Amino acid sequence: MHTVTLQTHYHHVFRRRALILIALAVALVLTLMLDLSAGPASLSISDILSGLLNPENLELRHRIILFEVRLPDALIALAVGAALGLSGIETQTVLNNPLASPFTLGISSFAAFGASIAIIFAPSLPWLGHTAMLPLFALLFALLCGGLVLTFSQMLGGNRENIVLIGIALFFLGEALTSAMQYVGNAEAVQEIVFWSIGNLTKAGWTEVIVVTLCFFLILPFSMRHVWVMTLLRAGEAQAQSLGLNIRRIRFFVILRVSILCAFAICFVGVIAFVGLVGPHIARLLLGEDHRLLVSGAALCGALLLSLASFLSKALMPGVIIPVGILTAIIGVPVFVLLIAGKRRRP
Amino acid sequence: MNRLRVKNLNVFYGKTQRLFDVQLPDLEDGDILGLLGPNAAGKSTLMRALSGVQKHQGQIIYKDNHQGDIPLSDWHREVAYMPQTPPQESSLLPFELLWSAARALNLTTSDQKLAKKIELLFKRLGLAESAMSPMYSLSGGKRQLVGLALALIRNPYMLLLDEPTSALDLHWRMIVLDLVHERVNRQDGIAIAALHDLELAARYCNKLVLLAHGKVVASGPVSDVLTADNIAAVFKVKAKVEPGELGYPIIQVLEPML
């Protein structure tokens, strides 16, 4: 046998996976186009392409629809999807738990609690506009939840079972507090809270797109710096620890950055279910465990899922926009069950 | 030259004491120390303490330095620890595991040298065919061998092996311990292995420690430790110990004692 066979063999494996990653990126561009073309005003894909290249090609009405309505909605789907996919893969790996996602850390339910406070008390606090207060409170409470998870888990020794348990406890606490807010709120406020909790992309503008995108690209380099350790962690914590790596410290930083990213991702658009859970699983099935590819792959899969859901939310019932959070769950659950079924066939 | 001295080692899990004043025979280049004892005797705890993963009190003196004075990163460069748990069943590939471990540890080797090293290790451990098979498709024994390969990737001076052969068949048990023996001798290293198999311990180790309830019951050369009385006291079985043809004692277990 030649001495380089294993290396070349792995090069082949790696190249095949890299091609899948490129295919995902291409698919993402296609769904983005689909998403941009969907909506009540009839704009064909070719109109959109020429409009994107040269806005002067479009009549004013269509230009406004494309640049002020559809593009921000479509891009926030990509940014939020990518952020949720990335935080999902990191949470699953670092907690060694296939069911983990940033939402099982309680972040989503705390964001909903923050949002409901803003919705109910906004009229009595005139010094801050309603539109700014809602995401701000959602963000602050999501960050608070991340901080609580980290503080409690450090106090209890930082092992991953405790992080999962604390996260789930905080999740239920957030749910209960949100219910309490609904109980005291009037019908209109309750409706708004429920609507926010479902998740909805259509209220996003350029500012939101820029904030979430910036946050994603600020966090991504930190994730990329940990790719080797994260791959190694897939062999189990005992193995990684035996090599002298301080897994608790790494876990602390991962949970910290995941909380921040997820908080920014959902504070504008509400709780978008399942993307952070299913996106990473699809990426793992397609790309294997090498986190050099998997980290960006999970972000791509998350973006792809949410972009597709955003397209369907407009295309399924012409004239009606179904809140995207409903679709991600309805698409996400069967996909998830299929994935689990596929996994059980393994020897 | 004395390489490793362990004295008065105490380990607590919360308020429960797990190791009591453990003292090991002084170890020199080429020594393989076997840790024997029934379940829950403290073998794994001792291993973890030696590896630096487990907090402890007492002295672990390595090349005249206390373990506490050596930065952990330096300690782990010299000492490799193979935990009892083999790599878990994920879709990780064994080659990927070793590669990412080497890179996570900042081993300064070129890609080509690293690939060659992994290839040689895998070939030696019978893993060449499994290098690109996901971990979940491998048997427990194969995964255990991957775990050993992982411990060896850094060319450690001191090898700590926690039941390295528990999932292996006879053939691979001997291959693994032959490899350990060869490395320890050729590269002037030492190895400490927790073992369940008395026959293997007698065959491959030159020093033994018998542990029970966190205390050392007997320690020293193989023939001093593996006596019928010691075996009866620690393992609660009646056994006959005879000198064997290959130069190490043969243990014949007769019956459990009631």
Side-chain angles (χ1 to χ4, degrees):
Chain A
M1 294 273 272
H2 342 272
T3 45
V4 286
T5 42
L6 266 188
Q7 199 187 1
T8 42
H9 190 164
Y10 191 64
H11 268 309
H12 288 307
V13 174
F14 193 82
R15 203 186 313 151
R16 201 184 59 227
R17 290 171 175 176
L19 284 176
I20 295 174
L21 196 70
I22 293 168
L24 281 173
V26 172
L28 188 63
V29 174
L30 295 179
T31 45
L32 176 67
M33 287 299 140
L34 268 182
D35 192 14
L36 285 173
S37 72
S42 57
L43 268 167
S44 70
I45 290 190
S46 61
D47 289 342
I48 287 164
L49 273 179
S50 72
L52 286 177
L53 294 173
N54 184 3
E56 302 302 319
N57 291 349
L58 290 176
E59 54 177 290
L60 184 64
R61 192 169 61 94
H62 282 164
R63 206 186 307 158
I64 292 172
I65 289 176
L66 179 59
F67 283 95
E68 298 307 319
V69 181
R70 292 203 186 165
L71 210 47
D73 288 7
L75 290 179
I76 196 90
L78 298 192
V80 169
L84 291 177
L86 176 59
S87 19
I89 195 79
E90 295 224 286
T91 318
Q92 285 174 7
T93 298
V94 89
L95 295 179
N96 198 17
N97 190 331
L99 289 173
S101 82
F103 291 3
T104 55
L105 296 172
I107 289 168
S108 58
S109 77
F110 264 67
F113 174 49
S116 58
I117 292 179
I119 289 165
I120 285 172
F121 294 112
S124 53
L125 295 172
W127 41 271
L128 241 176
H130 184 191
T131 40
M133 228 173 92
L134 206 164
L136 186 65
F137 269 60
L139 177 69
L140 290 179
F141 276 82
L143 291 175
L144 170 74
C145 179
L148 287 176
V149 170
L150 287 173
T151 315
F152 286 144
S153 68
Q154 286 303 101
M155 278 161 56
L156 295 173
N159 69 45
R160 52 170 207 274
E161 290 83 1
N162 283 343
I163 296 183
V164 173
L165 290 175
I166 292 163
I168 289 180
L170 287 173
F171 174 81
F172 284 113
L173 179 65
E175 295 272 288
L177 291 171
T178 310
S179 301
M181 296 310 290
Q182 292 178 347
Y183 187 70
V184 299
N186 59 31
E188 210 177 307
V190 170
Q191 199 182 9
E192 205 182 332
I193 295 170
V194 170
F195 197 68
W196 192 88
S197 303
I198 291 171
N200 180 353
L201 299 170
T202 56
K203 282 179 184 164
W206 282 106
T207 322
E208 287 83 347
V209 172
I210 289 166
V211 170
V212 179
T213 309
L214 258 183
C215 184
F216 175 79
F217 282 108
L218 284 177
I219 297 282
L220 186 64
F222 292 99
S223 307
M224 293 310 289
R225 260 185 52 190
H226 271 159
V227 286
W228 295 119
V229 184
M230 297 295 262
T231 309
L232 175 56
L233 265 178
R234 293 299 295 147
E237 195 177 330
Q239 302 293 326
Q241 211 174 25
S242 74
L243 293 169
L245 294 163
N246 191 342
I247 299 305
R248 274 185 197 176
R249 225 175 85 97
I250 291 165
R251 191 156 47 217
F252 181 90
F253 284 116
V254 172
I255 300 286
L256 178 69
R257 66 173 177 248
V258 159
S259 306
I260 295 171
L261 183 57
C262 178
F264 274 96
I266 63 176
C267 70
F268 299 118
V269 297
V271 181
I272 290 178
F274 274 100
V275 172
L277 184 65
V278 177
H281 276 289
I282 296 174
R284 233 184 263 278
L285 281 180
L286 291 174
L287 300 167
E289 299 284 1
D290 189 332
H291 280 60
R292 279 180 294 171
L293 296 174
L294 191 51
V295 160
S296 26
L300 276 178
C301 283
L304 192 60
L305 274 179
L306 197 51
S307 187
L308 203 59
S310 166
F311 164 66
L312 290 176
S313 75
K314 290 181 275 184
L316 277 182
M317 279 194 274
V320 180
I321 299 178
I322 307 168
V324 78
I326 294 178
L327 284 172
T328 51
I330 291 177
I331 303 168
V333 173
V335 170
F336 197 53
V337 171
L338 281 177
L339 286 177
I340 294 168
K343 255 193 172 169
R344 289 199 64 179
R345 255 176 274 134
R346 281 180 187 173
Chain B
M1 177 189 173
N2 278 342
R3 290 301 184 153
L4 185 77
R5 275 183 294 160
V6 176
K7 283 193 172 64
N8 305 323
L9 195 70
N10 289 291
V11 170
F12 294 85
Y13 284 173
K15 281 179 184 162
T16 339
Q17 190 164 4
R18 284 302 177 83
L19 291 182
F20 300 83
D21 285 326
V22 166
Q23 173 159 358
L24 301 183
D26 291 351
L27 296 182
E28 293 159 24
D29 287 347
D31 277 347
I32 302 182
L33 173 71
L35 297 180
L36 301 173
N39 295 329
K43 301 190 293 288
S44 292
T45 307
L46 178 54
M47 281 299 197
R48 288 164 49 80
L50 291 173
S51 78
V53 176
Q54 172 68 48
K55 272 190 194 148
H56 58 266
Q57 299 164 6
Q59 297 174 316
I60 297 176
I61 299 165
Y62 173 74
K63 292 184 181 170
D64 295 328
N65 292 306
H66 283 268
Q67 191 209 42
D69 301 337
I70 305 171
L72 263 187
S73 53
D74 290 352
W75 177 256
H76 284 287
R77 208 165 293 142
E78 302 270 313
V79 178
Y81 162 53
M82 176 190 173
Q84 204 175 350
T85 345
Q88 70 185 5
E89 299 178 51
S90 64
S91 24
L92 190 66
L93 314 176
F95 184 80
E96 240 167 20
L97 169 59
L98 266 76
W99 192 276
S100 54
R103 291 301 173 226
L105 295 168
N106 292 319
L107 296 192
T108 49
T109 346
S110 70
D111 281 5
Q112 240 154 24
K113 272 188 188 161
L114 180 59
K116 198 168 178 178
K117 190 171 175 183
I118 296 174
E119 177 131 13
L120 284 174
L121 261 177
F122 278 179
K123 208 181 272 179
R124 188 67 204 269
L125 292 171
L127 291 168
E129 304 294 313
S130 318
M132 296 294 164
S133 313
M135 223 56 115
Y136 67 78
S137 69
L138 303 182
S139 66
K142 290 271 187 222
R143 281 189 287 124
Q144 196 165 37
L145 290 169
V146 174
L148 180 64
L150 185 62
L152 294 175
I153 188 76
R154 265 210 263 203
N155 274 334
Y157 171 78
M158 179 157 90
L159 259 180
L160 302 170
L161 308 166
D162 197 350
E163 299 196 15
T165 57
S166 57
L168 302 179
D169 59 33
L170 277 176
H171 175 78
W172 285 106
R173 278 179 198 196
M174 296 191 58
I175 300 264
V176 161
L177 289 170
D178 277 336
L179 175 64
V180 170
H181 190 259
E182 182 192 300
R183 286 184 79 103
V184 161
N185 278 299
R186 199 191 288 163
Q187 306 182 353
D188 290 337
I190 56 180
I192 302 179
L195 295 166
H196 258 308
D197 187 323
L198 300 185
E199 144 114 40
L200 275 183
R203 181 182 181 125
Y204 285 99
C205 304
N206 60 339
K207 291 172 182 171
L208 291 178
V209 164
L210 204 52
L211 278 173
H213 305 296
K215 290 172 188 155
V216 174
V217 176
S219 77
V222 175
S223 50
D224 292 3
V225 173
L226 281 184
T227 62
D229 288 346
N230 281 341
I231 292 171
V234 168
F235 291 103
K236 311 234 179 324
V237 290
K238 205 173 274 178
K240 207 161 79 178
V241 182
E242 289 169 344
E245 289 168 24
L246 295 169
Y248 59 89
I250 301 288
I251 298 125
Q252 207 183 345
V253 177
L254 302 173
E255 57 181 354
M257 300 192 311
L258 297 171

